[in-house]
Amino acid sequence: IPLLRRALAMSKRPLLLFASPWTAPAWMKSNGDVRGKGTLKGKAGDKYHKTWANYFIKFLDEYAKRNVTFWAVTAQNEPLAGLLTPPQAPTIAFTAAQQRDFIAQDLGPALARSPHRTRLLMLDDQRIHLPHWAKVVLGNATAARYVAGLAVHWYLDAIVPPGCSLEATHKLFPDHFLLYTEACTGFFTFR
């Protein structure tokens, strides 16, 4: 929070902050650990999913008490990477259908009821998952009304051309923006 305050004070224009969760507490996960290949226990609409959605609101509440607001949150950082990550990485695995249901039944309504005007972004993973992921989530009218845009990572961009992923998704869902939210170099040791 002190670093965010310094950055906000130094900026000549407003900073738009977004947050993206890596994992839920161990007691909410199928593997009983914040690390590794676990999913949220149960299914959308149950006590685990509602409680996880409420964690988002508590997070926003606590930062707001310290005069830090978030422009957006993502439903999950790299939800499919949760199936592929090394066992020590903190993550939650979601399929597109699981993310759709979580957004439609739990996270979307929780954000809408909250006092926060924080936008909700979906996917937050490699663009190789587009347009399929968007079709599953945004193809559901309930989920789509809560989602402002799609968060995308660049690591596997060389595998799929932008026309087949970004452009195809934009043509299908022009009212939802596409935003790159994560990128770095040096993640492949052979490059």
Side-chain angles (χ1 to χ4, degrees):
I1 291 173
L3 289 175
L4 286 174
R5 284 187 179 150
R6 283 179 57 201
L8 291 164
M10 292 169 58
S11 180
K12 290 181 172 48
R13 53 192 154 138
L15 295 180
L16 301 176
L17 304 175
F18 84 95
S20 186
W22 280 56
T23 188
W27 68 269
M28 286 188 201
K29 289 183 59 187
S30 61
N31 66 347
D33 195 331
V34 296
R35 299 162 299 167
K37 299 170 176 66
T39 61
L40 282 179
K41 289 179 182 177
K43 60 182 183 169
D46 70 9
K47 67 179 182 178
Y48 297 104
H49 289 71
K50 296 237 179 279
T51 301
W52 183 229
N54 287 331
Y55 265 67
F56 283 73
I57 306 309
K58 292 294 270 179
F59 170 86
L60 295 171
D61 289 345
E62 291 304 314
Y63 273 85
K65 287 178 188 176
R66 290 151 182 87
N67 295 318
V68 177
T69 58
F70 286 83
W71 167 74
V73 294
T74 72
Q76 175 60 38
N77 180 63
E78 296 189 351
L80 280 179
L83 302 172
L84 309 169
T85 56
Q88 68 274 16
T91 187
I92 305 173
F94 277 98
T95 65
Q98 289 168 325
Q99 189 172 84
R100 173 200 63 213
D101 296 346
F102 175 57
I103 288 170
Q105 296 180 42
D106 305 297
L107 184 55
L111 281 169
R113 284 190 307 270
S114 81
H116 307 287
R117 297 302 80 182
T118 305
R119 291 169 176 82
L120 177 57
L121 308 182
M122 56 166 274
L123 184 58
D124 207 17
D125 209 330
Q126 312 308 317
R127 81 169 192 218
I128 196 169
H129 304 304
L130 295 174
H132 167 74
W133 199 281
K135 288 177 184 178
V136 171
V137 177
L138 299 178
N140 177 285
T142 303
R145 95 169 165 248
Y146 294 120
V147 174
L150 293 86
V152 184
H153 298 181
W154 82 324
Y155 306 107
L156 303 177
D157 277 5
I159 295 172
V160 61
C164 297
S165 55
L166 300 176
E167 187 176 342
T169 302
H170 176 67
K171 284 180 180 175
L172 289 168
F173 304 101
D175 295 333
H176 292 83
F177 62 82
L178 294 150
L179 177 69
Y180 272 93
T181 55
E182 185 178 318
C184 72
T185 59
F187 65 96
F188 286 132
T189 55
F190 58 84
R191 294 177 113 180

